[in-house]
Amino acid sequence: MLMGRTKPPIYGLLAEFDTPARLVAAAERARKEGYRCMDAYAPYPVEGLAEALKFHHTRVPLITLIGGIVGGLAGYFMQYWIAAINYPLNIGGRPLHSWPAFIPVTFELTILGAALSAVLGMLGLNGLPMPYHPVFHVPRFALASRDRFFLCVEATDPKFDRQTTQRFLESLDSRGVFEVPH
Amino acid sequence: MGAEGPRLPTAAERRRPPVIGPGHTFATVTDKISTIVLTRPTTPGWLAGFLVSFSLMMLLFYAIGYLLLEGVGVWGINIPVGWGFAIVNFVWWIGIGHAGTLISAILLLLNQKWRTSINRFAEAMTLFAVASAGLFPLLHLGRPGLFYWLLPYPSTMGVWPQFRSPLVWDVFAVSTYFTVSLLFWFVGLIPDLATLRDRAETRAARILYGILAMGWRGSAMHWHRYQTAYLLLAGLAAPLVVSVHTVVSLDFAVGIIPGWHSTIFPPYFVAGAIYSGFAMVLTLAIPLRAAYGLEDFITMRHLENMAKVMLATGLIVAYGYAMELFMAWYSGNTYEGFTAWNRIVGPYWPAYWALILCNVVIPQLLWFKRVRTKVPVLFVLSLTVNLGMWLERFVIVVTSLHRDFLPSSWGMYTATRWDWAVFVGSMGLFLTLLFLFIRFLPMISIFEMRELVSETEAGSSD
C-alpha cells in the first residue's frame, strides 16, 4: 500500500492506432499538449518514436563499456597472477610475464564481459523480467505484438484527467481509446 | 526513410529479385511465421526427419557410452596420428557455425537488408553447430570427466591451466563464442516470443512463451535500449567470430609440425569457416523454404547473395591452398616440401584431390548466373562444399601427422566404425536440435520482417 499518496483509480488510458506514422504524430501532439508520463507500444522499433517521447539517452553503451573493461582487466590479471606469481613455471628461461600469450584469453573475456553486461544491462534498465503489467488487461493490447500501435497516457501524469484526456486521445485519429485498470 | 515520398524503383532494383515478396503487411508476416509454430499441425515430413535425426543422435549417445567405457582406443588414433576424426569434426562444426554469426552480426552492421529472413535460423545453426563441435575436444580428452581441469579454479592441487597454450585459449574462445551466440540469439527472440505469447491458442503455450518473453510489451523506451544492446552485441560478435577461428587455427599453427606451422593459417581458416558456413546455410535454407512455403521471405536474392559469398570466400581458400604449396617450395625446408608433396601423391592422395575438386574446381560454376539461380544445382553445390571443407580438415590433421620427422615413426590412420558413429551421430544431434527449433520457435525473425515491411512499403494493415 502506498502511504500518504493516493493511488489513482486506474493505470491510464490507452489509444490504438493503425500505422506507425499516426502513433508518432500522436506522441508528438501529446508531448506538445503537456503530457509527460507516457509510453508508446509498437510491434517493432519504430523510427522516431523514442525521439517523439523525448527519450534519447540510454546507459546501455556505458554499462557495456564498463563490463568489457572489467572483463578484460580481470582476464589479464588472472593470467598474470597465475603465471607469474602463484604458480611460476620456468620453461627454458622464458619470461614468466609473457604478455603476448595472454592476449587471446584477455580478448575473449573482454567480449564476454561486454556482451553479458549489454544484455543484462538492457534487461535490467527495462525492468525485465516483469511478469505483470497493467496494459495487458486491455484485450486489444494483444495486437501490440502484431500490427497495432498504442499510446498510453498514465494516470500519474499531473495533467491527466479521465474525461479531457480521453477526449484528447480520441481526437488524435485513433481507432479507439481504452481504460487500463491496475 | 527519406521525406521525398514513394519513388519508382531504379533499373538495378527492377532487375534484382526483392528481399520480400510483394503484398505483405505487418499482419501477414506475423501470421505466416507464427502459424508455423502455433497452429500448423506436425507434418509427416517433419516427423520423418525428426525420427531419422533422433535415431542418429541415439547412435551418438551409444558411441559416446562405449567410448567412455573403453577409452579413446576405440577410435583409430594412435601415435603418430593422435588427432583423428575428433579434431577434424571439431574444426568442421565450429567453422559451419561461423556463417550464422557473420550473417547476424556483420551483415547487420553493414546494413544489409537481405539478412533479415535468414539470420534467425542461421544463428540457431551456429548454436547447434558449436554444441556439436564442443563435444569433440571433450571426448578427445581421454578422461572427459576431468574436463573442468581446463578451467582456472583454485584446486586443492594448487595447479593452474597453462595460459601460454593455444589449447587453453581454445577453451575460452569456444565457451565465449557459445555464450555470446546464445545471448544474441535469445535477445533476438524476445520480441517474437512475446508475439507467440499473445497469439498462442493453448494455455500451456501461453505460459511457456510468456515466461520466455519475460513480460516484453514493445514499449518505445524498451525498444530504444533493445536496439542499442542488439547493435552492441553485433559489434562484439563480429570480432569474436574472427578471433574464434583464429584461435582454432593457432591450435595447429603454434605447433612445429610441417604443414601446420604457417602464418597464413588464421586468415585462411577464417575464410574457410565462412565458406563452409554459407554452404551449410544454403543446405538448410533450400529445403526449409520449400517445405514451409517461405519463397516470399527467402527469395532468389538471398540464395544468389549467399552463392556469391561462397564464391568469394572459396577463392580466398583456393589462394590459401596455392600459398601453402608455394611456401613449401619457396621456404626450401625439406620437411615442408615433403609434407606438401606427400599430400599430393602420398597415401592420402584421394582425400587431397577430392578436396581440390570440391572446394576449388566445382564451385567455379558459381560464376554463372544460370547456376546461381537454379535451386537444385545450388543445393548440390552447397553439399559439395560441405564435403570439401570436411576433407580439408582431414588433410590438414592427418597428412601432417602421419609422416613424422623420422621415417621410423611413420604410420597410417584409418577411422574405425566408432569414429564414424560419433561423426554421423553428431549430425544427428545437430539436426535433432534444428528440427525442434523449427517446430517450437519462429525460424524467421518476425519483428525484423515487420521492420522490413515498413521500409519497403507503407505497410498499413487491413
Side-chain angles (χ1 to χ4, degrees), chain B residues 288-323:
Chain B
L288 272 182
R289 76 197 273 273
Y292 289 95
L294 295 172
E295 284 90 350
D296 272 4
F297 295 164
I298 305 171
T299 64
M300 272 325 290
R301 169 97 166 270
H302 296 98
L303 300 185
E304 233 196 300
N305 279 0
M306 287 194 274
K308 286 178 189 165
V309 175
M310 245 166 67
L311 179 61
T313 48
L315 290 173
I316 302 176
V317 170
Y319 173 79
Y321 299 151
M323 272 307 115

mmCIF file of all heavy atoms in Angstrom, chain B residues 288-323:
data_model
loop_
_atom_site.group_PDB
_atom_site.id
_atom_site.type_symbol
_atom_site.label_atom_id
_atom_site.label_comp_id
_atom_site.label_asym_id
_atom_site.label_seq_id
_atom_site.Cartn_x
_atom_site.Cartn_y
_atom_site.Cartn_z
ATOM 1 N N LEU B 288 14.129 -25.914 -46.331
ATOM 2 C CA LEU B 288 13.185 -25.246 -45.427
ATOM 3 C C LEU B 288 12.197 -24.370 -46.180
ATOM 4 O O LEU B 288 10.999 -24.398 -45.914
ATOM 5 C CB LEU B 288 13.953 -24.365 -44.430
ATOM 6 C CG LEU B 288 14.421 -25.009 -43.137
ATOM 7 C CD1 LEU B 288 15.102 -23.966 -42.271
ATOM 8 C CD2 LEU B 288 13.257 -25.614 -42.388
ATOM 9 N N ARG B 289 12.698 -23.580 -47.124
ATOM 10 C CA ARG B 289 11.792 -22.666 -47.823
ATOM 11 C C ARG B 289 10.814 -23.445 -48.692
ATOM 12 O O ARG B 289 9.667 -23.027 -48.861
ATOM 13 C CB ARG B 289 12.573 -21.631 -48.646
ATOM 14 C CG ARG B 289 13.165 -22.117 -49.935
ATOM 15 C CD ARG B 289 14.227 -21.169 -50.446
ATOM 16 N NE ARG B 289 13.704 -20.084 -51.284
ATOM 17 C CZ ARG B 289 13.520 -20.174 -52.602
ATOM 18 N NH1 ARG B 289 13.756 -21.288 -53.240
ATOM 19 N NH2 ARG B 289 13.090 -19.122 -53.281
ATOM 20 N N ALA B 290 11.262 -24.603 -49.183
ATOM 21 C CA ALA B 290 10.343 -25.420 -49.979
ATOM 22 C C ALA B 290 9.296 -26.070 -49.072
ATOM 23 O O ALA B 290 8.100 -26.046 -49.363
ATOM 24 C CB ALA B 290 11.127 -26.480 -50.748
ATOM 25 N N ALA B 291 9.739 -26.616 -47.934
ATOM 26 C CA ALA B 291 8.815 -27.348 -47.067
ATOM 27 C C ALA B 291 7.779 -26.432 -46.432
ATOM 28 O O ALA B 291 6.632 -26.821 -46.246
ATOM 29 C CB ALA B 291 9.598 -28.080 -45.985
ATOM 30 N N TYR B 292 8.173 -25.201 -46.082
ATOM 31 C CA TYR B 292 7.243 -24.319 -45.383
ATOM 32 C C TYR B 292 6.710 -23.193 -46.268
ATOM 33 O O TYR B 292 6.103 -22.245 -45.777
ATOM 34 C CB TYR B 292 7.904 -23.746 -44.126
ATOM 35 C CG TYR B 292 8.090 -24.807 -43.062
ATOM 36 C CD1 TYR B 292 9.279 -25.491 -42.941
ATOM 37 C CD2 TYR B 292 7.043 -25.140 -42.210
ATOM 38 C CE1 TYR B 292 9.440 -26.479 -41.988
ATOM 39 C CE2 TYR B 292 7.189 -26.124 -41.259
ATOM 40 C CZ TYR B 292 8.392 -26.793 -41.151
ATOM 41 O OH TYR B 292 8.541 -27.776 -40.206
ATOM 42 N N GLY B 293 6.953 -23.288 -47.570
ATOM 43 C CA GLY B 293 6.417 -22.285 -48.492
ATOM 44 C C GLY B 293 6.909 -20.879 -48.180
ATOM 45 O O GLY B 293 6.127 -19.932 -48.175
ATOM 46 N N LEU B 294 8.195 -20.738 -47.893
ATOM 47 C CA LEU B 294 8.718 -19.435 -47.490
ATOM 48 C C LEU B 294 9.440 -18.729 -48.642
ATOM 49 O O LEU B 294 10.316 -17.906 -48.422
ATOM 50 C CB LEU B 294 9.671 -19.600 -46.306
ATOM 51 C CG LEU B 294 9.013 -20.103 -45.019
ATOM 52 C CD1 LEU B 294 10.048 -20.426 -43.969
ATOM 53 C CD2 LEU B 294 8.026 -19.087 -44.493
ATOM 54 N N GLU B 295 9.044 -19.053 -49.891
ATOM 55 C CA GLU B 295 9.740 -18.454 -51.036
ATOM 56 C C GLU B 295 9.599 -16.935 -51.071
ATOM 57 O O GLU B 295 10.417 -16.247 -51.674
ATOM 58 C CB GLU B 295 9.229 -19.051 -52.356
ATOM 59 C CG GLU B 295 9.751 -20.448 -52.641
ATOM 60 C CD GLU B 295 8.860 -21.533 -52.091
ATOM 61 O OE1 GLU B 295 7.933 -21.204 -51.313
ATOM 62 O OE2 GLU B 295 9.070 -22.722 -52.428
ATOM 63 N N ASP B 296 8.525 -16.406 -50.408
ATOM 64 C CA ASP B 296 8.344 -14.959 -50.360
ATOM 65 C C ASP B 296 9.375 -14.291 -49.469
ATOM 66 O O ASP B 296 9.680 -13.120 -49.637
ATOM 67 C CB ASP B 296 6.961 -14.635 -49.769
ATOM 68 C CG ASP B 296 5.911 -14.592 -50.843
ATOM 69 O OD1 ASP B 296 6.259 -14.892 -52.007
ATOM 70 O OD2 ASP B 296 4.753 -14.275 -50.526
ATOM 71 N N PHE B 297 9.822 -15.037 -48.465
ATOM 72 C CA PHE B 297 10.722 -14.442 -47.467
ATOM 73 C C PHE B 297 12.171 -14.774 -47.784
ATOM 74 O O PHE B 297 13.053 -13.940 -47.636
ATOM 75 C CB PHE B 297 10.376 -14.943 -46.064
ATOM 76 C CG PHE B 297 9.015 -14.514 -45.587
ATOM 77 C CD1 PHE B 297 8.415 -15.128 -44.502
ATOM 78 C CD2 PHE B 297 8.328 -13.498 -46.225
ATOM 79 C CE1 PHE B 297 7.167 -14.729 -44.063
ATOM 80 C CE2 PHE B 297 7.087 -13.096 -45.794
ATOM 81 C CZ PHE B 297 6.496 -13.714 -44.704
ATOM 82 N N ILE B 298 12.435 -16.040 -48.139
ATOM 83 C CA ILE B 298 13.792 -16.406 -48.549
ATOM 84 C C ILE B 298 13.757 -16.458 -50.070
ATOM 85 O O ILE B 298 13.441 -17.476 -50.665
ATOM 86 C CB ILE B 298 14.214 -17.752 -47.931
ATOM 87 C CG1 ILE B 298 14.073 -17.711 -46.415
ATOM 88 C CG2 ILE B 298 15.653 -18.082 -48.309
ATOM 89 C CD1 ILE B 298 14.267 -19.051 -45.751
ATOM 90 N N THR B 299 14.038 -15.304 -50.687
ATOM 91 C CA THR B 299 13.848 -15.186 -52.128
ATOM 92 C C THR B 299 15.109 -15.628 -52.869
ATOM 93 O O THR B 299 16.121 -15.968 -52.262
ATOM 94 C CB THR B 299 13.530 -13.729 -52.511
ATOM 95 O OG1 THR B 299 14.666 -12.936 -52.179
ATOM 96 C CG2 THR B 299 12.326 -13.212 -51.754
ATOM 97 N N MET B 300 15.029 -15.590 -54.202
ATOM 98 C CA MET B 300 16.194 -15.923 -55.029
ATOM 99 C C MET B 300 17.348 -14.973 -54.720
ATOM 100 O O MET B 300 18.513 -15.331 -54.844
ATOM 101 C CB MET B 300 15.842 -15.803 -56.514
ATOM 102 C CG MET B 300 15.267 -17.038 -57.140
ATOM 103 S SD MET B 300 15.923 -18.590 -56.532
ATOM 104 C CE MET B 300 17.576 -18.560 -57.186
ATOM 105 N N ARG B 301 17.014 -13.749 -54.322
ATOM 106 C CA ARG B 301 18.046 -12.758 -53.984
ATOM 107 C C ARG B 301 18.930 -13.293 -52.862
ATOM 108 O O ARG B 301 20.161 -13.173 -52.914
ATOM 109 C CB ARG B 301 17.326 -11.475 -53.569
ATOM 110 C CG ARG B 301 18.214 -10.441 -52.943
ATOM 111 C CD ARG B 301 18.664 -9.412 -53.963
ATOM 112 N NE ARG B 301 19.234 -8.269 -53.262
ATOM 113 C CZ ARG B 301 18.530 -7.222 -52.863
ATOM 114 N NH1 ARG B 301 17.239 -7.157 -53.110
ATOM 115 N NH2 ARG B 301 19.119 -6.233 -52.237
ATOM 116 N N HIS B 302 18.276 -13.896 -51.841
ATOM 117 C CA HIS B 302 19.051 -14.433 -50.717
ATOM 118 C C HIS B 302 19.969 -15.557 -51.184
ATOM 119 O O HIS B 302 21.141 -15.606 -50.847
ATOM 120 C CB HIS B 302 18.124 -14.972 -49.631
ATOM 121 C CG HIS B 302 17.279 -13.923 -49.009
ATOM 122 N ND1 HIS B 302 15.987 -13.694 -49.392
ATOM 123 C CD2 HIS B 302 17.557 -13.025 -48.042
ATOM 124 C CE1 HIS B 302 15.504 -12.698 -48.679
ATOM 125 N NE2 HIS B 302 16.420 -12.271 -47.857
ATOM 126 N N LEU B 303 19.394 -16.484 -51.955
ATOM 127 C CA LEU B 303 20.180 -17.638 -52.383
ATOM 128 C C LEU B 303 21.354 -17.174 -53.244
ATOM 129 O O LEU B 303 22.481 -17.648 -53.099
ATOM 130 C CB LEU B 303 19.299 -18.623 -53.154
ATOM 131 C CG LEU B 303 18.101 -19.187 -52.375
ATOM 132 C CD1 LEU B 303 17.380 -20.240 -53.201
ATOM 133 C CD2 LEU B 303 18.507 -19.768 -51.040
ATOM 134 N N GLU B 304 21.072 -16.221 -54.122
ATOM 135 C CA GLU B 304 22.138 -15.753 -55.014
ATOM 136 C C GLU B 304 23.239 -15.045 -54.229
ATOM 137 O O GLU B 304 24.422 -15.251 -54.488
ATOM 138 C CB GLU B 304 21.535 -14.803 -56.045
ATOM 139 C CG GLU B 304 21.873 -15.201 -57.462
ATOM 140 C CD GLU B 304 21.603 -14.075 -58.418
ATOM 141 O OE1 GLU B 304 20.447 -13.640 -58.508
ATOM 142 O OE2 GLU B 304 22.571 -13.637 -59.085
ATOM 143 N N ASN B 305 22.823 -14.196 -53.273
ATOM 144 C CA ASN B 305 23.828 -13.490 -52.473
ATOM 145 C C ASN B 305 24.707 -14.475 -51.711
ATOM 146 O O ASN B 305 25.915 -14.307 -51.628
ATOM 147 C CB ASN B 305 23.154 -12.543 -51.483
ATOM 148 C CG ASN B 305 22.752 -11.244 -52.138
ATOM 149 O OD1 ASN B 305 22.985 -11.051 -53.324
ATOM 150 N ND2 ASN B 305 22.145 -10.374 -51.380
ATOM 151 N N MET B 306 24.070 -15.499 -51.145
ATOM 152 C CA MET B 306 24.858 -16.477 -50.397
ATOM 153 C C MET B 306 25.807 -17.213 -51.324
ATOM 154 O O MET B 306 26.951 -17.515 -50.958
ATOM 155 C CB MET B 306 23.932 -17.445 -49.663
ATOM 156 C CG MET B 306 23.255 -16.785 -48.478
ATOM 157 S SD MET B 306 22.492 -17.953 -47.374
ATOM 158 C CE MET B 306 20.913 -18.160 -48.138
ATOM 159 N N ALA B 307 25.343 -17.508 -52.535
ATOM 160 C CA ALA B 307 26.216 -18.171 -53.501
ATOM 161 C C ALA B 307 27.419 -17.290 -53.828
ATOM 162 O O ALA B 307 28.543 -17.776 -53.972
ATOM 163 C CB ALA B 307 25.432 -18.486 -54.775
ATOM 164 N N LYS B 308 27.177 -15.968 -53.905
ATOM 165 C CA LYS B 308 28.282 -15.052 -54.216
ATOM 166 C C LYS B 308 29.293 -15.019 -53.069
ATOM 167 O O LYS B 308 30.501 -14.987 -53.308
ATOM 168 C CB LYS B 308 27.746 -13.649 -54.494
ATOM 169 C CG LYS B 308 27.070 -13.531 -55.856
ATOM 170 C CD LYS B 308 26.526 -12.127 -56.035
ATOM 171 C CE LYS B 308 25.664 -12.041 -57.287
ATOM 172 N NZ LYS B 308 24.856 -10.811 -57.293
ATOM 173 N N VAL B 309 28.773 -15.001 -51.825
ATOM 174 C CA VAL B 309 29.704 -15.017 -50.680
ATOM 175 C C VAL B 309 30.527 -16.300 -50.712
ATOM 176 O O VAL B 309 31.731 -16.304 -50.463
ATOM 177 C CB VAL B 309 28.923 -14.891 -49.348
ATOM 178 C CG1 VAL B 309 29.883 -15.036 -48.173
ATOM 179 C CG2 VAL B 309 28.209 -13.566 -49.261
ATOM 180 N N MET B 310 29.857 -17.412 -51.065
ATOM 181 C CA MET B 310 30.556 -18.693 -51.142
ATOM 182 C C MET B 310 31.662 -18.639 -52.189
ATOM 183 O O MET B 310 32.779 -19.112 -51.958
ATOM 184 C CB MET B 310 29.567 -19.800 -51.509
ATOM 185 C CG MET B 310 29.385 -20.827 -50.437
ATOM 186 S SD MET B 310 27.941 -21.846 -50.755
ATOM 187 C CE MET B 310 28.405 -22.732 -52.197
ATOM 188 N N LEU B 311 31.344 -18.057 -53.329
ATOM 189 C CA LEU B 311 32.336 -17.970 -54.400
ATOM 190 C C LEU B 311 33.539 -17.143 -53.938
ATOM 191 O O LEU B 311 34.691 -17.558 -54.108
ATOM 192 C CB LEU B 311 31.693 -17.328 -55.633
ATOM 193 C CG LEU B 311 32.601 -17.145 -56.853
ATOM 194 C CD1 LEU B 311 33.103 -18.482 -57.343
ATOM 195 C CD2 LEU B 311 31.871 -16.407 -57.958
ATOM 196 N N ALA B 312 33.257 -15.994 -53.291
ATOM 197 C CA ALA B 312 34.345 -15.105 -52.873
ATOM 198 C C ALA B 312 35.223 -15.780 -51.825
ATOM 199 O O ALA B 312 36.457 -15.785 -51.944
ATOM 200 C CB ALA B 312 33.768 -13.806 -52.317
ATOM 201 N N THR B 313 34.598 -16.362 -50.791
ATOM 202 C CA THR B 313 35.408 -16.986 -49.746
ATOM 203 C C THR B 313 36.099 -18.226 -50.290
ATOM 204 O O THR B 313 37.213 -18.548 -49.868
ATOM 205 C CB THR B 313 34.559 -17.343 -48.521
ATOM 206 O OG1 THR B 313 33.395 -18.024 -48.968
ATOM 207 C CG2 THR B 313 34.176 -16.116 -47.737
ATOM 208 N N GLY B 314 35.466 -18.911 -51.239
ATOM 209 C CA GLY B 314 36.093 -20.079 -51.855
ATOM 210 C C GLY B 314 37.372 -19.702 -52.575
ATOM 211 O O GLY B 314 38.363 -20.442 -52.551
ATOM 212 N N LEU B 315 37.372 -18.509 -53.188
ATOM 213 C CA LEU B 315 38.577 -18.069 -53.879
ATOM 214 C C LEU B 315 39.692 -17.757 -52.884
ATOM 215 O O LEU B 315 40.864 -18.030 -53.137
ATOM 216 C CB LEU B 315 38.275 -16.841 -54.744
ATOM 217 C CG LEU B 315 37.403 -17.131 -55.963
ATOM 218 C CD1 LEU B 315 37.012 -15.842 -56.653
ATOM 219 C CD2 LEU B 315 38.127 -18.043 -56.944
ATOM 220 N N ILE B 316 39.314 -17.197 -51.723
ATOM 221 C CA ILE B 316 40.329 -16.932 -50.687
ATOM 222 C C ILE B 316 40.930 -18.256 -50.220
ATOM 223 O O ILE B 316 42.147 -18.373 -50.045
ATOM 224 C CB ILE B 316 39.712 -16.166 -49.493
ATOM 225 C CG1 ILE B 316 39.098 -14.855 -49.973
ATOM 226 C CG2 ILE B 316 40.773 -15.909 -48.420
ATOM 227 C CD1 ILE B 316 38.382 -14.086 -48.881
ATOM 228 N N VAL B 317 40.058 -19.250 -50.040
ATOM 229 C CA VAL B 317 40.533 -20.559 -49.606
ATOM 230 C C VAL B 317 41.467 -21.159 -50.664
ATOM 231 O O VAL B 317 42.532 -21.704 -50.338
ATOM 232 C CB VAL B 317 39.328 -21.483 -49.324
ATOM 233 C CG1 VAL B 317 39.765 -22.909 -49.116
ATOM 234 C CG2 VAL B 317 38.581 -20.988 -48.090
ATOM 235 N N ALA B 318 41.089 -21.018 -51.932
ATOM 236 C CA ALA B 318 41.936 -21.547 -53.016
ATOM 237 C C ALA B 318 43.300 -20.857 -53.002
ATOM 238 O O ALA B 318 44.341 -21.499 -53.190
ATOM 239 C CB ALA B 318 41.250 -21.322 -54.366
ATOM 240 N N TYR B 319 43.294 -19.535 -52.724
ATOM 241 C CA TYR B 319 44.554 -18.803 -52.600
ATOM 242 C C TYR B 319 45.384 -19.387 -51.454
ATOM 243 O O TYR B 319 46.611 -19.535 -51.576
ATOM 244 C CB TYR B 319 44.247 -17.324 -52.367
ATOM 245 C CG TYR B 319 45.461 -16.489 -52.061
ATOM 246 C CD1 TYR B 319 46.306 -16.062 -53.074
ATOM 247 C CD2 TYR B 319 45.775 -16.133 -50.750
ATOM 248 C CE1 TYR B 319 47.423 -15.307 -52.790
ATOM 249 C CE2 TYR B 319 46.894 -15.373 -50.461
ATOM 250 C CZ TYR B 319 47.722 -14.968 -51.487
ATOM 251 O OH TYR B 319 48.833 -14.224 -51.211
ATOM 252 N N GLY B 320 44.712 -19.738 -50.354
ATOM 253 C CA GLY B 320 45.407 -20.354 -49.219
ATOM 254 C C GLY B 320 46.101 -21.650 -49.624
ATOM 255 O O GLY B 320 47.261 -21.879 -49.269
ATOM 256 N N TYR B 321 45.377 -22.488 -50.389
ATOM 257 C CA TYR B 321 45.980 -23.756 -50.840
ATOM 258 C C TYR B 321 47.212 -23.476 -51.698
ATOM 259 O O TYR B 321 48.249 -24.123 -51.569
ATOM 260 C CB TYR B 321 44.995 -24.595 -51.662
ATOM 261 C CG TYR B 321 43.741 -25.007 -50.944
ATOM 262 C CD1 TYR B 321 42.554 -25.217 -51.638
ATOM 263 C CD2 TYR B 321 43.740 -25.216 -49.562
ATOM 264 C CE1 TYR B 321 41.402 -25.597 -50.984
ATOM 265 C CE2 TYR B 321 42.588 -25.587 -48.907
ATOM 266 C CZ TYR B 321 41.420 -25.777 -49.620
ATOM 267 O OH TYR B 321 40.285 -26.139 -48.980
ATOM 268 N N ALA B 322 47.067 -22.500 -52.602
ATOM 269 C CA ALA B 322 48.174 -22.185 -53.506
ATOM 270 C C ALA B 322 49.380 -21.684 -52.706
ATOM 271 O O ALA B 322 50.519 -22.087 -52.965
ATOM 272 C CB ALA B 322 47.732 -21.128 -54.523
ATOM 273 N N MET B 323 49.130 -20.814 -51.720
ATOM 274 C CA MET B 323 50.217 -20.270 -50.916
ATOM 275 C C MET B 323 50.906 -21.351 -50.094
ATOM 276 O O MET B 323 52.124 -21.318 -49.898
ATOM 277 C CB MET B 323 49.691 -19.186 -49.978
ATOM 278 C CG MET B 323 49.670 -17.817 -50.581
ATOM 279 S SD MET B 323 51.262 -17.355 -51.277
ATOM 280 C CE MET B 323 50.850 -17.248 -52.991
#
